[in-house]
Amino acid sequence: MARTQVVIVGGGPSGLLLGQLLFKAGIEAVVLERKTREYVLGRIRAGVLERGLVGLMGEAGVDTRMKAEGFVHDGTQLAYDGDMFRVDFTAHTDATVMVYGQTEVTRDLYDARAATGGDTRFEVDNVVIHDADTDAPFVTFDQNGTAQRIDCDYIAGCDGFHGISRKTIPAFVRREYEKVYPFGWLGILSETPPVNHELIYANSDRGFALCSMRNAQLSRYYIQCDVDDHVGNWSDDAFWDELRRRIPAAAAETLVTGPSIEKSIAPLRSFVTEPMRWGRLFLCGDAAHIVPPTGAKGLNTAASDVHYLNQGLRQFYGDGDSRGLDTYSEKALARVWKTERFSWWFSNLMHHYPSQSDFDKKMQLAELAFLRDSPEAQAAMALNYVGLPY
Ligand code: FAD
Ligand code: DHB
């Protein structure tokens, strides 16, 4: 029978970042991941890192490549009704964001974990968390057809929205809040230069579009699509044509197109479960909450949870003080709800709703004009975009 201090369920960005931060503090952890490393690295997801996550990458000792290859952005463009304006982050805050893909964050964390001899079990099945509400929790799972058991002090549930950690908390303890949006995002990755050096978020009558990037030769674009649309309905040409119709004419004219190297549809959802702690089980990241992607908060909010949990565990193992762990759920949720609000607000502002009335449309345009003309409104947006303090 094996024993460790912390079992981390899920080897996505939350689990890996927590694992590296704990390693730095001399706290032992085992990471259990259902898929292979290659599978996890093949998922194209977030692209914009807040200052908080950039700082945590440094704290975890994995920021060398990010600093060399990431791109610092100090503003973003918002387009609507043939107009485009800039929200300048440094004019309103003391921070910037970093364009560096989630895939790269995850790769750096896996490399660091391997280099430091961290125990990561891939392709594990049937993970079950036992006795999390007692002083002797343990986790069982199957690996290569063999049943395994690890006893531990604490469990970090970092296994995403479809994981088992959240469901381990009894239904009568959990309170869930959800909003499902009536559209999705169709995204492509292409080996073409980005259309603009800053991201463009576009509100158009045909629906939302986003021009983003990973580096000087790798672009990421999204268009709003029907919630039940399929990737097979979209040839690359159809995607590019639709994107051109939704972004400002000057950008459409200079857009460089090419074959997509990845194409996928993501539904949009807001979701929060409370509390984020049950006994010795702590939920982190998508296991506890989902935001619609507008504003790039999913990965960043996962990182703030990891920060609070890391602080709590360090305090406990450092001087036996459990106050950080006792207040984890409260602290994490306070920030989660603010981020939920921002992502919901920005999604409502930028998307075309199937049921939208002419009045609703006028409200969106008025709010965009207010944002364009008001330094105070831009300051509120910039503060949220660069990331609220931990
Ligand atoms: P995940 O990344 O979901 O990692 C959880 C890990 O746990 C996975 O590796 C999974 O295989 C593993 N796991 C699951 N169940 C088990 C189990 N039972 N046992 C063991 N392991 C298990 N955010 C943005 O900011 N911008 C974006 O553009 C963006 N696009 C997205 C597109 C999609 C399709 C999705 C699903 C999310 C997107 N997000 C985006 C959100 C962002 O990627 C997530 O917030 C982030 O990945 C959360 O990290 P996590 O580690 O908490 O969860
Ligand atoms: C990206 C995704 C987002 O949701 C966002 O707001 C900005 C960038 C991206 O994948 O690059």
Side-chain angles (χ1 to χ4, degrees):
M1 200 164 70
R3 180 166 182 93
T4 191
Q5 290 174 308
V6 182
V7 171
I8 300 176
V9 183
S14 307
L16 294 170
L17 182 60
L18 180 65
Q20 274 324 99
L21 290 167
L22 295 181
F23 168 79
K24 286 278 173 188
I27 301 166
E28 194 184 273
V30 177
V31 174
L32 304 179
E33 169 56 49
R34 191 172 51 135
K35 302 285 188 181
T36 62
R37 176 191 149 110
E38 290 65 38
Y39 182 94
V40 176
L41 290 176
R43 292 190 292 224
I44 309 297
R45 290 182 172 180
V48 179
L49 316 188
E50 292 176 354
R51 56 173 157 184
L53 175 49
V54 168
L56 287 175
M57 292 285 281
E59 216 181 293
V62 291
D63 62 348
T64 311
R65 201 163 66 92
M66 179 187 74
K67 278 185 172 159
E69 296 176 16
F71 292 83
V72 171
H73 281 209
D74 57 11
T76 192
Q77 302 287 335
L78 297 189
Y80 75 103
D81 209 14
D83 200 0
M84 187 154 92
F85 64 96
R86 180 167 191 265
V87 175
D88 185 328
F89 306 147
T90 44
H92 301 289
T93 74
D94 57 358
T96 55
V97 294
M98 174 79 83
V99 169
Y100 190 66
Q102 176 169 336
T103 313
E104 307 311 319
V105 168
T106 312
R107 187 187 306 280
D108 294 342
L109 287 164
Y110 270 139
D111 288 350
R113 189 154 181 86
T116 51
D119 186 350
T120 311
R121 317 281 179 91
F122 290 100
E123 297 182 85
V124 301
D125 283 322
N126 302 322
V127 176
V128 181
I129 298 167
H130 304 264
D131 297 350
D133 58 338
T134 73
D135 287 342
F138 61 100
V139 179
T140 56
F141 55 98
D142 296 334
Q143 195 180 14
N144 304 322
T146 312
Q148 311 254 359
R149 167 176 170 153
I150 304 181
D151 288 62
C152 55
D153 301 331
Y154 293 106
I155 299 136
C158 302
D159 50 353
F161 184 64
H162 300 287
I164 52 96
S165 297
R166 181 176 69 255
K167 294 164 201 150
T168 301
I169 302 179
F172 69 87
V173 175
R174 263 186 284 146
R175 174 104 198 250
E176 298 188 342
Y177 302 82
E178 184 174 46
K179 178 181 171 68
V180 176
Y181 298 78
F183 38 72
W185 277 20
L186 169 64
I188 69 165
L189 194 64
S190 81
E191 286 168 328
T192 51
V195 67
N196 190 54
H197 69 286
E198 286 180 345
L199 274 67
I200 303 175
Y201 290 89
N203 169 308
S204 94
D205 286 341
R206 300 183 66 92
F208 170 75
L210 168 59
C211 305
S212 182
M213 66 201 74
R214 291 295 177 271
N215 61 49
Q217 278 308 319
L218 194 57
S219 297
R220 181 75 167 153
Y221 296 103
Y222 298 95
I223 54 174
Q224 174 185 346
C225 64
D226 283 347
V227 71
D228 44 19
D229 210 339
H230 298 285
V231 167
N233 296 336
W234 288 89
S235 66
D236 288 353
D237 284 345
F239 181 93
W240 294 122
D241 287 346
E242 188 57 36
L243 178 65
R244 274 195 212 91
R245 293 189 191 108
R246 297 185 187 191
I247 60 180
E253 278 156 26
T254 56
L255 179 72
V256 180
T257 64
S260 63
I261 55 171
E262 194 265 356
K263 197 186 278 167
S264 53
I265 291 182
L268 268 73
R269 184 196 302 270
S270 299
F271 173 87
V272 181
T273 191
E274 294 185 343
M276 286 172 59
R277 175 203 185 163
W278 184 60
R280 288 173 174 261
L281 168 64
F282 297 85
L283 302 180
C284 275
D286 280 19
H289 42 74
I290 298 285
V291 287
T294 334
K297 293 293 164 218
L299 174 61
N300 290 302
T301 312
S304 62
D305 295 347
V306 166
H307 164 78
Y308 295 125
L309 185 53
N310 174 48
Q311 293 290 311
L313 289 168
R314 276 177 181 230
Q315 221 177 0
F316 174 77
Y317 285 109
D319 48 26
D321 182 349
S322 66
R323 276 177 298 180
L325 292 175
D326 293 340
T327 53
Y328 167 75
S329 179
E330 203 177 304
K331 274 197 256 178
L333 281 166
R335 191 174 184 281
V336 163
W337 278 114
K338 290 181 191 158
T339 314
E340 288 284 345
R341 187 209 65 81
F342 175 71
S343 305
W344 162 84
W345 167 79
F346 200 24
S347 297
N348 285 337
L349 182 65
M350 300 308 288
H351 288 80
H352 178 81
Y353 279 72
S355 61
Q356 196 163 32
S357 66
D358 290 348
F359 181 83
D360 296 336
K361 181 72 197 173
K362 283 286 188 189
M363 288 299 98
Q364 273 189 340
L365 296 178
E367 186 154 8
L368 280 158
F370 175 64
L371 187 56
R372 179 194 59 201
D373 299 337
S374 160
E376 290 83 1
Q378 289 192 14
M381 163 149 188
L383 273 173
N384 281 281
Y385 198 94
V386 299
L388 299 173
Y390 289 174

